[in-house]
Amino acid sequence: MFSIFERLVAPFPDDDRMPPRDGLLRFIAFYARPVWPLLLAMGVLTAAISIIEVSLFAFLGQIVDWFDTGDRATFLADNALALTGMAIVVLVVLPLLVFLEGLVTFQALSGNFPMRFRWQVHRWLLGQSLTFFQDEFAGRIATKLMQTALAVRETVMKFLDVMLYVAVYFTGIVVLVAGADWRLALPFVFWLAGYVALLRYFVPRLGAIAERQADARAQMTGRVVDAYTNIQTVKLFAHTRREAGHARTSMGAFLETVYAQMRRINAFYALLYMLNALLLFAVAALGILLWQSALISAGAIAAAIGLVLRINGMAQWIMWEVSQLFENIGTLRDGMTTFARTRAIDDAPNAGQLVVERGAIAFERVGFHYGRPHVDNRGVIDDFSLAIAPGEKIGLVCRSGAGKSTLLSLLLRFHDLESGRILVDDQDIARVTQASLRSNIGMVTQDTALLHRSVGDNVRYGKPDASDAEIAAALEAAHARDFIADLVDVHGHTGLDAMVGERGVKLSGGQRQRIALARVMLKNAPILLLDEATSALDSEVEAAITENLHALMHGKTVIAVAHRLSTIAALDRLVVIDEGRIIESGSHDELLAANGLYARLWAMQSGGFIGEDVAGRHAPA
């Protein structure tokens, strides 16, 4: 039975649509729409339970009156039908309704509803641009995702639960008490007015604090995770105390929101307790006066006082539920600002699949400057044109920050162009899907980050369906098999099964680079980008890998970037870039003979590296 209800909501739908941005209610409704039938069922069951519980107090009053007027000898016989009916309600009907409500609430909704939200938002976020993730703490985004998922569930379910319970329960109370004497219902009406006034004053203020608290909590978590993620850097610079102070600042900011929240809750609680005490006093005093005037029975007083005591406990429960409701709304508003953000890079409508048969690449009058204002009408990349023939090996040469890595990012469509276009086999990359574009490009970067998974999983990332033989061949070509065989993690996993740690922190830079090379070799894409691909390797390993790297380049179109000119000197063509434009192009020997910037860079290299400051600005040679 449990599993039947647990399967009523699909937790992992094939849906990564953009969430609405125009209003909190539409945002909530977008994610709650698939579970509305179950929410309606929960509401009906909640209402039925409330009605039955109120009727129990009315029956209690009847019993008191029966005790007062009935004959003990014939009491059971005279009231057998009513007592039997109420026994069935108490022992069978009410527990069954509570059980059914629990199946809907706990089995169908409590787990599936927030997981569905996490899944949909996670899929949406994975499509966000690199800039989105560069502008946010990863830990902050993850914390918001987890918090907001629970906030959506709690907002919807608690709102229905509390509002229905209050509406049905309190209406039943007023009807029941007014049935004995309408004057006895007056204290309840005044209590309700006072209770609503308290809610209207405190709840919005608690909600505003909750929104600040959610952001402060995410900021605090982000700083803590940032320190843990970069723990090697923290220790290298002996900044453990500094990082503790950095986290303490955010913890203090979070604590201030907690203090503000608790002050208001304490005031709310004290005023509510006083209001409940006034209700108890008023009902008891009025009930005694009416009883003395023979206007109501003792049973009516018993039922009314019992309901007051019930309201006393229920009012405190509602107070917490409503305050949590608005706290969740605050969390939702904070999360919505992150999750409902439009994607900076998205596939064009009806984008097709990129088909690469030759591997020709063309940059046509490309302009891009990261959204910064133009300086002297020049951008990071300015009116840049370059044609690369199928299978041609190109080396990009320039100073640091002159645009070579930006060109690779633009080819991968990590950013959209401001002007011009980029073609792959005469197909505009802005008109094909990002997935098909990047599946046809293999890239090895200088800063290699591995997933916190096993070595095998990281290598297989290049080709998920690769055979063991293909993986072994890639590792052999990348000269990675020897050190992998010696790996052991804290759980006793060895070799390819050993975990590499977050971002591959358990491996050396050279080991991470060799796994990255194996991953790209396994992918075997027709276009290959190398951004300082062997920079983390020692000379012996680099020499051993270079031969296999040239074999990997065979038949592929290659764009390579390296500060160490000796690693790209043998490529088909070298393109020298300065201020976002091509100023020289040719083979290594041709550029040396031209005696321009490349020749000066080659001459000034110490150990084969380009210096950061090379003879100032210059005109094309």
Side-chain angles (χ1 to χ4, degrees), residues 149-168:
L150 295 178
V152 169
R153 180 192 69 186
E154 295 302 299
T155 298
V156 175
M157 293 177 65
K158 284 188 183 299
F159 179 81
L160 287 175
D161 192 28
V162 171
M163 293 304 108
L164 277 171
Y165 206 90
V166 170
V168 175

Side-chain angles (χ1 to χ4, degrees), residues 172-252:
I173 288 174
V174 172
V175 170
L176 174 63
V177 174
D181 190 287
W182 66 269
R183 286 164 290 193
L184 195 59
L186 290 178
F188 291 94
V189 174
F190 286 118
W191 175 89
L192 179 61
Y195 189 57
V196 169
L198 288 178
L199 290 177
R200 289 195 61 177
Y201 178 80
F202 282 102
V203 165
R205 288 164 174 78
L206 288 170
I209 293 171
E211 187 171 352
R212 297 199 304 271
Q213 190 177 86
D215 185 67
R217 184 187 293 110
Q219 182 76 15
M220 174 179 64
T221 305
R223 289 190 177 186
V224 170
V225 172
D226 187 44
Y228 296 161
T229 302
N230 297 284
I231 191 64
Q232 184 176 5
T233 302
V234 172
K235 290 184 176 295
L236 182 63
F237 286 89
H239 281 332
T240 52
R241 288 184 178 275
R242 184 185 181 88
E243 283 303 313
H246 188 57
R248 180 176 176 173
T249 301
S250 61
M251 290 178 180

Side-chain angles (χ1 to χ4, degrees), residues 425-441:
D425 280 352
D426 298 322
Q427 301 162 82
D428 190 339
I429 65 170
R431 301 298 174 188
V432 299
T433 64
Q434 296 172 74
S436 67
L437 169 67
R438 293 162 193 159
S439 66
N440 282 287
I441 300 176

Side-chain angles (χ1 to χ4, degrees), residues 51-61 86 89-90 94 176:
I51 292 171
I52 292 175
E53 287 185 352
V54 171
S55 69
L56 290 177
F57 286 98
F59 187 69
L60 174 63
M86 192 53 65
V89 169
V90 171
L94 192 56
L176 174 63

Side-chain angles (χ1 to χ4, degrees), residues 265-297:
I265 287 177
N266 191 19
F268 191 5
Y269 181 80
L271 291 172
L272 178 60
Y273 195 89
M274 181 179 296
L275 186 65
N276 290 338
L278 288 172
L279 176 64
L280 178 60
F281 174 81
V283 169
L286 186 58
I288 291 172
L289 291 175
L290 293 173
W291 177 79
Q292 284 181 325
S293 302
L295 296 175
I296 60 173
S297 65

Side-chain angles (χ1 to χ4, degrees), residues 278-451:
L278 288 172
L279 176 64
L280 178 60
F281 174 81
V283 169
L286 186 58
I288 291 172
L289 291 175
L290 293 173
W291 177 79
Q292 284 181 325
S293 302
L295 296 175
I296 60 173
S297 65
I301 296 176
I305 292 178
L307 287 169
V308 170
L309 296 176
R310 175 62 175 152
I311 282 180
N312 194 345
M314 190 176 72
Q316 295 183 41
W317 168 72
I318 292 171
M319 179 196 75
W320 286 109
E321 293 295 292
V322 172
S323 64
Q324 288 179 11
L325 174 64
F326 277 81
E327 180 177 341
N328 287 319
I329 288 175
T331 301
L332 263 173
R333 290 186 185 278
D334 183 58
M336 184 178 167
T337 59
T338 298
F339 304 140
R341 213 177 296 173
T342 55
R343 288 172 174 167
I345 309 293
D346 214 345
D347 290 340
N350 302 316
Q353 299 293 306
L354 177 67
V355 178
V356 180
E357 295 179 348
R358 299 176 299 119
I361 301 172
F363 294 83
E364 296 184 351
R365 306 198 69 177
V366 170
F368 181 76
H369 67 291
Y370 288 101
R372 295 192 295 266
H374 288 273
V375 178
D376 297 329
N377 295 318
R378 305 296 293 273
V380 175
I381 302 296
D382 188 70
D383 197 26
F384 181 91
S385 295
L386 174 65
I388 303 173
E392 188 177 12
K393 281 68 176 170
I394 295 290
L396 299 182
V397 180
C398 61
R399 299 182 185 84
S400 294
K404 55 185 181 296
S405 294
T406 299
L407 283 172
L408 301 186
S409 294
L410 293 175
L411 176 58
L412 287 160
R413 206 181 163 214
F414 287 156
H415 309 282
D416 272 337
L417 304 179
E418 294 171 7
S419 61
R421 61 178 185 163
I422 300 175
L423 305 176
V424 174
D425 280 352
D426 298 322
Q427 301 162 82
D428 190 339
I429 65 170
R431 301 298 174 188
V432 299
T433 64
Q434 296 172 74
S436 67
L437 169 67
R438 293 162 193 159
S439 66
N440 282 287
I441 300 176
M443 183 172 184
V444 182
T445 62
Q446 178 180 9
D447 181 20
T448 299
L450 302 180
L451 300 166

